[in-house]
Amino acid sequence: MTIRRLMTALMTAALAGTTAACAGDDPAASGSADASGKDLPPVTLKGMLFGDQPKDLPLVLEEFEKRTKDTLNTKLSIEWNPVSDHKQKVKLMMAAGEEMDFVFDAEFMNLKELVPQGAYAPLDQYYNNDAYPGLKRAFSPEFVEANKRSDGHIYTIPFTQYFYDIQVIYLRKDLREKYGMPPISSYEDLQKFYERVLADEKGMTPLALRGVSGYQDILASDEPESRTVRPILVSGIPYLVHLSDDLQTVKNVVIAGDPASEWAKLPAPFSTMKTAFPQYDKWAMWRKYLEKDVLSQKDQKAFFMSGKAASYHGTLSSYAADRKKLQDTLAGADLEFFIFRKNMREMKPQSIGTNYKSNNSIAIPVTSENIDRTMKFFDWLFASRENHDLFEHGIPGKHWEAVGDTGIKLLSESKNYTFPGYELTWNPTLIRMNTELDDTAKRYFEYSAKADSYYAPVLAKFTFDNSGVKGEFANIASKAEPFVQQLKTGQFPDWEDQFTRLNGELKALGLDKLRAEVQKQVQAYLDGGGK
């Protein structure tokens, strides 16, 4: 399957909205996908998500039960973990064998560790299956194939609207206008804005970040990437894999903190650690714009919404809801965004690197006694816009109203139902565009939906399998992750020395064994055609 076929299958659906999925197109669309659903015994499915439970979720669940009492005969009981605790709580839940029917998991959570351990059920049989028409409609064979693991099976229900949710810095438009500044169009403009905040808004933090995530891609280089030097994150630290010019052979693998002689083997700008990671110096320099105790910040958006920060890191998908929330919360406040990756800001083609996988997903523990019933719920969820919109947007007429087939207008009570769709409902065939978005935001969403905006970097689909080095992987991650969290919040002006020290400590935990395993697996991936 070619990249072009995959993108055509998925992104055309995202851009067009797939009006064929509207309720009423299918006699079964708003009921159960299984005609025998009325004979199903009652069941309560237990789920685990993260974040704050929407205030009106009980009303939505009540409406769901009313609509499906004669078909699915299902109730949902969802446990909401704090963002910072979810990863660990899923691990503990799985280790204890606690009963759970579905959990949010992802590559940045526990997926890459728990799938090889056999913790999650394979779900292949439920896709492209006429007995599950909702799943078949929403998850094309290409989409399913892209989200399979290296063993050829799919273990998740993958959620995405576009293949990249453009990262932005949201900022107070009213403050920017108060200072007489033009719209922010560069990092230089942004820094001037932050300096004015420091000077004129006593007690206000210029930039709010979540402590565990830090800057992420903020201040990263916009220079064209190298095809022969590819970054891979293993156990929380960056590895640079150096490939031959024909992309067929792994020449060597260099890890942050390695001696200068190892970096010298790489082509410029990767020939020194400092030039390979130019953002690390900038992170330390911008530390003055963050909270003093940024490491403990668990919800940068809430901090911003309280009026204590002038900007925060987010993604474009939440723009309409966040703007409305800010306007409802702070009188006279308004929101705008700065896209900090230059090529995306300029909407250039082939500017968004992707592996065509979803970043977010639901997995079902193998210990669940309700796997079929759980998948029947998700089949119902994706069977129609009517079903899907109930969970993603809330109760029509109360939280939102439809505008045409694929538009949406948020009503005043929408503030009581802000659901994290990326945890349960996102799908490229069921996107509703907020009709109150300004033209600039609409153009960026349209840009995100175009196949030509994306490209697959070398090694984009490579996935490291830690099953042969579990002990080393876990030990290194436990030591490296707290270090990287401090690095990503600008805590290390002397980051080169700090990385060198860490590298030495990690060698005693098996770093070189992990390095050899990375080289071995990448070479096998290349030898297998890079698929």
Side-chain angles (χ1 to χ4, degrees):
M1 177 184 62
T2 66
I3 294 298
R4 181 60 57 184
R5 280 183 57 200
L6 173 62
M7 291 303 294
T8 299
L10 296 177
M11 304 315 288
T12 299
L15 186 59
T18 314
T19 57
C22 295
D25 294 341
D26 185 332
S30 60
S32 171
D34 186 351
S36 63
K38 61 184 178 181
D39 300 321
L40 293 172
V43 67
T44 297
L45 302 178
K46 296 180 64 177
M48 183 178 280
L49 304 179
F50 67 84
D52 295 325
Q53 174 179 305
K55 180 180 178 181
D56 282 353
L57 180 61
L59 300 179
V60 169
L61 294 180
E62 181 182 346
E63 176 66 18
F64 161 69
E65 292 168 15
K66 183 174 71 174
R67 292 186 189 183
T68 61
K69 61 184 176 65
D70 295 326
T71 52
L72 292 183
N73 203 10
T74 294
K75 294 185 178 181
L76 299 182
S77 174
I78 300 176
E79 176 181 341
W80 294 82
N81 296 323
V83 175
S84 57
D85 296 343
H86 182 75
K87 181 177 180 179
Q88 186 63 21
K89 284 201 170 186
V90 169
K91 279 185 179 179
L92 294 174
M93 177 271 297
M94 299 295 284
E98 181 183 342
E99 181 183 349
M100 195 65 62
D101 297 305
F102 62 91
V103 300
F104 176 90
D105 209 342
E107 290 295 319
F108 61 88
M109 290 284 187
N110 299 305
L111 202 63
K112 60 182 177 293
E113 299 175 46
L114 293 181
V115 168
Q117 293 174 16
Y120 292 137
L123 303 177
D124 307 70
Q125 63 179 307
Y126 300 102
Y127 294 104
N128 198 31
N129 182 341
D130 289 337
Y132 295 86
L135 295 176
K136 185 176 182 179
R137 172 184 289 142
F139 298 91
S140 69
E142 292 86 358
F143 195 6
V144 173
E145 186 67 29
N147 284 279
K148 286 184 176 179
R149 309 296 297 183
S150 57
D151 64 359
H153 297 289
I154 185 168
Y155 295 86
T156 61
I157 303 168
F159 304 130
T160 190
Q161 291 183 314
Y162 312 106
F163 274 106
Y164 185 77
D165 193 359
I166 293 177
Q167 294 189 72
V168 300
I169 293 176
Y170 284 113
L171 60 126
R172 288 275 298 273
K173 178 182 180 182
D174 55 298
L175 290 182
R176 193 257 306 161
E177 291 178 339
K178 170 185 171 182
Y179 305 146
M181 298 178 64
I184 306 298
S185 61
S186 68
Y187 277 122
E188 290 74 17
D189 292 344
L190 187 63
Q191 189 166 17
K192 290 177 183 177
F193 174 74
Y194 287 159
E195 289 293 337
R196 288 296 303 269
V197 172
L198 286 179
D200 297 356
E201 312 296 331
K202 300 303 181 185
M204 180 178 284
T205 298
L207 173 60
L209 300 178
R210 189 161 69 100
V212 70
S213 304
Y215 289 102
Q216 300 187 62
D217 280 347
I218 297 174
L219 296 168
S221 174
D222 276 322
E223 293 301 313
E225 65 176 27
S226 167
R227 286 173 56 81
T228 59
V229 180
R230 304 303 308 151
I232 294 178
L233 198 66
V234 179
S235 279
I237 56 176
Y239 290 55
L240 291 185
V241 179
H242 186 197
L243 305 176
S244 58
D245 290 343
D246 62 3
L247 307 180
Q248 298 301 305
T249 305
V250 180
K251 299 177 70 173
N252 58 317
V253 178
V254 180
I255 305 174
D258 277 352
S261 57
E262 293 301 306
W263 290 95
K265 297 175 182 178
L266 302 181
F270 306 99
S271 50
T272 72
M273 190 159 49
K274 181 176 285 289
T275 53
F277 302 111
Q279 67 269 38
Y280 294 171
D281 280 326
K282 296 174 184 175
W283 288 353
M285 291 170 60
W286 278 41
R287 173 69 183 86
K288 64 178 180 177
Y289 302 132
L290 310 183
E291 293 176 79
K292 290 183 178 179
D293 191 20
V294 62
L295 288 169
S296 65
Q297 179 56 255
K298 296 181 178 180
D299 191 339
Q300 80 279 16
K301 185 186 295 188
F303 185 67
F304 171 85
M305 292 294 175
S306 71
K308 295 177 182 178
S311 70
Y312 69 99
H313 176 269
T315 54
L316 190 60
S317 62
S318 67
Y319 176 52
D322 288 359
R323 187 182 185 196
K324 183 172 180 56
K325 185 174 183 179
L326 178 66
Q327 291 172 333
D328 290 342
T329 303
L330 298 176
D334 201 0
L335 193 71
E336 62 186 4
F337 58 85
F338 167 63
I339 296 174
F340 49 81
R341 300 310 296 263
K342 184 173 184 292
N343 286 343
M344 296 180 203
R345 189 165 66 245
E346 296 176 355
M347 290 186 275
K348 291 184 177 179
Q350 305 290 302
S351 293
I352 307 177
T354 182
N355 58 10
Y356 301 99
K357 294 179 181 292
S358 169
N359 287 329
N360 307 288
S361 57
I362 284 289
I364 300 180
V366 293
T367 53
S368 170
E369 297 181 357
N370 302 304
I371 297 177
D372 284 347
R373 296 294 295 274
T374 300
M375 294 306 287
K376 285 182 184 294
F377 163 71
F378 281 101
D379 182 64
W380 174 91
L381 183 69
F382 292 109
S384 71
R385 283 196 181 276
E386 181 183 6
N387 300 349
H388 167 270
D389 289 347
L390 174 64
F391 277 84
E392 181 151 314
H393 303 299
I395 298 173
K398 178 179 179 65
H399 300 115
W400 65 282
E401 63 182 29
V403 180
D405 290 329
T406 60
I408 184 173
K409 179 181 180 180
L410 299 179
L411 303 179
S412 60
E413 291 194 48
S414 64
K415 62 180 180 292
N416 295 324
Y417 192 77
T418 303
F419 192 87
Y422 52 85
E423 294 190 52
L424 197 77
T425 60
W426 273 8
N427 188 269
T429 70
L430 294 167
I431 299 172
R432 281 193 181 275
M433 183 79 75
N434 191 303
T435 56
E436 296 181 341
L437 286 171
D438 57 57
D439 289 341
T440 298
K442 288 178 181 178
R443 287 198 301 272
Y444 279 114
F445 279 116
E446 290 167 356
Y447 171 73
S448 298
K450 292 179 181 178
D452 193 45
S453 299
Y454 296 86
Y455 72 100
V458 177
L459 301 187
K461 296 187 178 181
F462 171 77
T463 301
F464 181 70
D465 179 3
N466 70 355
S467 57
V469 285
K470 290 180 182 177
E472 293 83 359
F473 188 96
N475 290 335
I476 288 173
S478 65
K479 194 170 189 65
E481 288 178 358
F483 172 90
V484 172
Q485 184 180 5
Q486 293 184 71
L487 174 74
K488 289 167 67 176
T489 51
Q491 306 294 311
F492 293 142
D494 58 342
W495 62 270
E496 292 176 276
D497 292 338
Q498 295 283 354
F499 251 128
T500 299
R501 177 190 56 77
L502 178 69
N503 186 291
E505 295 175 358
L506 296 182
K507 282 183 181 293
L509 300 177
L511 184 65
D512 287 332
K513 183 176 180 180
L514 228 58
R515 184 201 310 264
E517 187 65 22
V518 168
Q519 181 157 348
K520 174 185 172 184
Q521 290 189 27
V522 173
Q523 188 60 60
Y525 173 85
L526 296 175
D527 292 344
K531 298 179 180 179

PDB file of all heavy atoms in Angstrom, residues 463-480:
ATOM      1  N   THR A 463       9.322   0.869  14.956  1.00  0.00           N
ATOM      2  CA  THR A 463       8.908   0.802  16.351  1.00  0.00           C
ATOM      3  C   THR A 463       9.874  -0.097  17.104  1.00  0.00           C
ATOM      4  O   THR A 463      10.083  -1.249  16.710  1.00  0.00           O
ATOM      5  CB  THR A 463       7.480   0.242  16.491  1.00  0.00           C
ATOM      6  OG1 THR A 463       6.569   1.075  15.756  1.00  0.00           O
ATOM      7  CG2 THR A 463       7.045   0.207  17.945  1.00  0.00           C
ATOM      8  N   PHE A 464      10.455   0.432  18.155  1.00  0.00           N
ATOM      9  CA  PHE A 464      11.410  -0.350  18.926  1.00  0.00           C
ATOM     10  C   PHE A 464      10.684  -1.375  19.791  1.00  0.00           C
ATOM     11  O   PHE A 464       9.698  -1.062  20.453  1.00  0.00           O
ATOM     12  CB  PHE A 464      12.251   0.569  19.815  1.00  0.00           C
ATOM     13  CG  PHE A 464      13.292  -0.152  20.632  1.00  0.00           C
ATOM     14  CD1 PHE A 464      14.405  -0.717  20.017  1.00  0.00           C
ATOM     15  CD2 PHE A 464      13.162  -0.285  22.007  1.00  0.00           C
ATOM     16  CE1 PHE A 464      15.364  -1.379  20.758  1.00  0.00           C
ATOM     17  CE2 PHE A 464      14.109  -0.936  22.759  1.00  0.00           C
ATOM     18  CZ  PHE A 464      15.218  -1.496  22.132  1.00  0.00           C
ATOM     19  N   ASP A 465      11.171  -2.612  19.772  1.00  0.00           N
ATOM     20  CA  ASP A 465      10.610  -3.698  20.566  1.00  0.00           C
ATOM     21  C   ASP A 465      11.538  -3.947  21.750  1.00  0.00           C
ATOM     22  O   ASP A 465      12.672  -4.393  21.581  1.00  0.00           O
ATOM     23  CB  ASP A 465      10.490  -4.960  19.708  1.00  0.00           C
ATOM     24  CG  ASP A 465       9.931  -6.154  20.475  1.00  0.00           C
ATOM     25  OD1 ASP A 465       9.573  -5.994  21.663  1.00  0.00           O
ATOM     26  OD2 ASP A 465       9.868  -7.253  19.890  1.00  0.00           O
ATOM     27  N   ASN A 466      11.049  -3.659  22.941  1.00  0.00           N
ATOM     28  CA  ASN A 466      11.911  -3.774  24.128  1.00  0.00           C
ATOM     29  C   ASN A 466      11.828  -5.129  24.820  1.00  0.00           C
ATOM     30  O   ASN A 466      12.378  -5.300  25.913  1.00  0.00           O
ATOM     31  CB  ASN A 466      11.576  -2.665  25.131  1.00  0.00           C
ATOM     32  CG  ASN A 466      10.220  -2.856  25.787  1.00  0.00           C
ATOM     33  OD1 ASN A 466       9.477  -3.767  25.445  1.00  0.00           O
ATOM     34  ND2 ASN A 466       9.894  -1.989  26.718  1.00  0.00           N
ATOM     35  N   SER A 467      11.138  -6.097  24.183  1.00  0.00           N
ATOM     36  CA  SER A 467      10.899  -7.373  24.861  1.00  0.00           C
ATOM     37  C   SER A 467      12.185  -8.115  25.212  1.00  0.00           C
ATOM     38  O   SER A 467      12.218  -8.870  26.183  1.00  0.00           O
ATOM     39  CB  SER A 467      10.001  -8.277  24.005  1.00  0.00           C
ATOM     40  OG  SER A 467      10.565  -8.493  22.721  1.00  0.00           O
ATOM     41  N   GLY A 468      13.260  -7.908  24.445  1.00  0.00           N
ATOM     42  CA  GLY A 468      14.516  -8.589  24.735  1.00  0.00           C
ATOM     43  C   GLY A 468      15.413  -7.844  25.698  1.00  0.00           C
ATOM     44  O   GLY A 468      16.446  -8.386  26.137  1.00  0.00           O
ATOM     45  N   VAL A 469      15.035  -6.628  26.048  1.00  0.00           N
ATOM     46  CA  VAL A 469      15.858  -5.798  26.952  1.00  0.00           C
ATOM     47  C   VAL A 469      14.954  -5.088  27.964  1.00  0.00           C
ATOM     48  O   VAL A 469      15.164  -3.922  28.279  1.00  0.00           O
ATOM     49  CB  VAL A 469      16.689  -4.766  26.149  1.00  0.00           C
ATOM     50  CG1 VAL A 469      17.856  -5.423  25.442  1.00  0.00           C
ATOM     51  CG2 VAL A 469      15.796  -4.022  25.134  1.00  0.00           C
ATOM     52  N   LYS A 470      13.984  -5.808  28.479  1.00  0.00           N
ATOM     53  CA  LYS A 470      13.000  -5.192  29.373  1.00  0.00           C
ATOM     54  C   LYS A 470      13.651  -4.570  30.604  1.00  0.00           C
ATOM     55  O   LYS A 470      13.297  -3.464  31.010  1.00  0.00           O
ATOM     56  CB  LYS A 470      11.969  -6.234  29.793  1.00  0.00           C
ATOM     57  CG  LYS A 470      11.033  -6.683  28.699  1.00  0.00           C
ATOM     58  CD  LYS A 470      10.046  -7.711  29.228  1.00  0.00           C
ATOM     59  CE  LYS A 470       9.123  -8.229  28.134  1.00  0.00           C
ATOM     60  NZ  LYS A 470       8.211  -9.277  28.640  1.00  0.00           N
ATOM     61  N   GLY A 471      14.571  -5.300  31.214  1.00  0.00           N
ATOM     62  CA  GLY A 471      15.201  -4.806  32.434  1.00  0.00           C
ATOM     63  C   GLY A 471      15.981  -3.543  32.193  1.00  0.00           C
ATOM     64  O   GLY A 471      15.823  -2.541  32.922  1.00  0.00           O
ATOM     65  N   GLU A 472      16.829  -3.555  31.160  1.00  0.00           N
ATOM     66  CA  GLU A 472      17.623  -2.372  30.832  1.00  0.00           C
ATOM     67  C   GLU A 472      16.723  -1.202  30.451  1.00  0.00           C
ATOM     68  O   GLU A 472      16.956  -0.063  30.871  1.00  0.00           O
ATOM     69  CB  GLU A 472      18.586  -2.688  29.692  1.00  0.00           C
ATOM     70  CG  GLU A 472      19.688  -3.690  30.029  1.00  0.00           C
ATOM     71  CD  GLU A 472      19.228  -5.139  29.903  1.00  0.00           C
ATOM     72  OE1 GLU A 472      18.039  -5.374  29.569  1.00  0.00           O
ATOM     73  OE2 GLU A 472      20.056  -6.038  30.136  1.00  0.00           O
ATOM     74  N   PHE A 473      15.696  -1.492  29.668  1.00  0.00           N
ATOM     75  CA  PHE A 473      14.772  -0.452  29.223  1.00  0.00           C
ATOM     76  C   PHE A 473      14.112   0.229  30.426  1.00  0.00           C
ATOM     77  O   PHE A 473      14.070   1.457  30.522  1.00  0.00           O
ATOM     78  CB  PHE A 473      13.713  -1.064  28.311  1.00  0.00           C
ATOM     79  CG  PHE A 473      12.811  -0.075  27.630  1.00  0.00           C
ATOM     80  CD1 PHE A 473      13.081   0.362  26.348  1.00  0.00           C
ATOM     81  CD2 PHE A 473      11.675   0.423  28.262  1.00  0.00           C
ATOM     82  CE1 PHE A 473      12.249   1.270  25.711  1.00  0.00           C
ATOM     83  CE2 PHE A 473      10.848   1.332  27.646  1.00  0.00           C
ATOM     84  CZ  PHE A 473      11.133   1.758  26.361  1.00  0.00           C
ATOM     85  N   ALA A 474      13.606  -0.561  31.350  1.00  0.00           N
ATOM     86  CA  ALA A 474      12.903  -0.020  32.511  1.00  0.00           C
ATOM     87  C   ALA A 474      13.847   0.749  33.429  1.00  0.00           C
ATOM     88  O   ALA A 474      13.513   1.834  33.920  1.00  0.00           O
ATOM     89  CB  ALA A 474      12.213  -1.147  33.276  1.00  0.00           C
ATOM     90  N   ASN A 475      15.025   0.203  33.661  1.00  0.00           N
ATOM     91  CA  ASN A 475      15.972   0.853  34.573  1.00  0.00           C
ATOM     92  C   ASN A 475      16.450   2.199  34.018  1.00  0.00           C
ATOM     93  O   ASN A 475      16.583   3.183  34.750  1.00  0.00           O
ATOM     94  CB  ASN A 475      17.170  -0.057  34.835  1.00  0.00           C
ATOM     95  CG  ASN A 475      16.790  -1.258  35.680  1.00  0.00           C
ATOM     96  OD1 ASN A 475      15.818  -1.217  36.431  1.00  0.00           O
ATOM     97  ND2 ASN A 475      17.549  -2.342  35.558  1.00  0.00           N
ATOM     98  N   ILE A 476      16.737   2.215  32.732  1.00  0.00           N
ATOM     99  CA  ILE A 476      17.205   3.447  32.110  1.00  0.00           C
ATOM    100  C   ILE A 476      16.087   4.489  32.081  1.00  0.00           C
ATOM    101  O   ILE A 476      16.297   5.663  32.377  1.00  0.00           O
ATOM    102  CB  ILE A 476      17.749   3.161  30.696  1.00  0.00           C
ATOM    103  CG1 ILE A 476      19.086   2.410  30.808  1.00  0.00           C
ATOM    104  CG2 ILE A 476      17.928   4.450  29.901  1.00  0.00           C
ATOM    105  CD1 ILE A 476      19.634   1.915  29.488  1.00  0.00           C
ATOM    106  N   ALA A 477      14.868   4.044  31.745  1.00  0.00           N
ATOM    107  CA  ALA A 477      13.742   4.974  31.682  1.00  0.00           C
ATOM    108  C   ALA A 477      13.470   5.608  33.045  1.00  0.00           C
ATOM    109  O   ALA A 477      13.181   6.813  33.140  1.00  0.00           O
ATOM    110  CB  ALA A 477      12.492   4.261  31.185  1.00  0.00           C
ATOM    111  N   SER A 478      13.573   4.826  34.116  1.00  0.00           N
ATOM    112  CA  SER A 478      13.269   5.352  35.449  1.00  0.00           C
ATOM    113  C   SER A 478      14.246   6.447  35.856  1.00  0.00           C
ATOM    114  O   SER A 478      13.900   7.356  36.614  1.00  0.00           O
ATOM    115  CB  SER A 478      13.293   4.226  36.482  1.00  0.00           C
ATOM    116  OG  SER A 478      14.597   3.681  36.619  1.00  0.00           O
ATOM    117  N   LYS A 479      15.475   6.371  35.343  1.00  0.00           N
ATOM    118  CA  LYS A 479      16.477   7.388  35.664  1.00  0.00           C
ATOM    119  C   LYS A 479      16.465   8.539  34.658  1.00  0.00           C
ATOM    120  O   LYS A 479      16.690   9.697  35.011  1.00  0.00           O
ATOM    121  CB  LYS A 479      17.870   6.760  35.700  1.00  0.00           C
ATOM    122  CG  LYS A 479      18.932   7.654  36.347  1.00  0.00           C
ATOM    123  CD  LYS A 479      20.214   6.886  36.573  1.00  0.00           C
ATOM    124  CE  LYS A 479      21.187   7.710  37.405  1.00  0.00           C
ATOM    125  NZ  LYS A 479      20.704   7.969  38.772  1.00  0.00           N
ATOM    126  N   ALA A 480      16.190   8.226  33.391  1.00  0.00           N
ATOM    127  CA  ALA A 480      16.270   9.239  32.341  1.00  0.00           C
ATOM    128  C   ALA A 480      15.048  10.159  32.310  1.00  0.00           C
ATOM    129  O   ALA A 480      15.177  11.361  32.036  1.00  0.00           O
ATOM    130  CB  ALA A 480      16.436   8.566  30.983  1.00  0.00           C
TER     131      ALA A 480
END
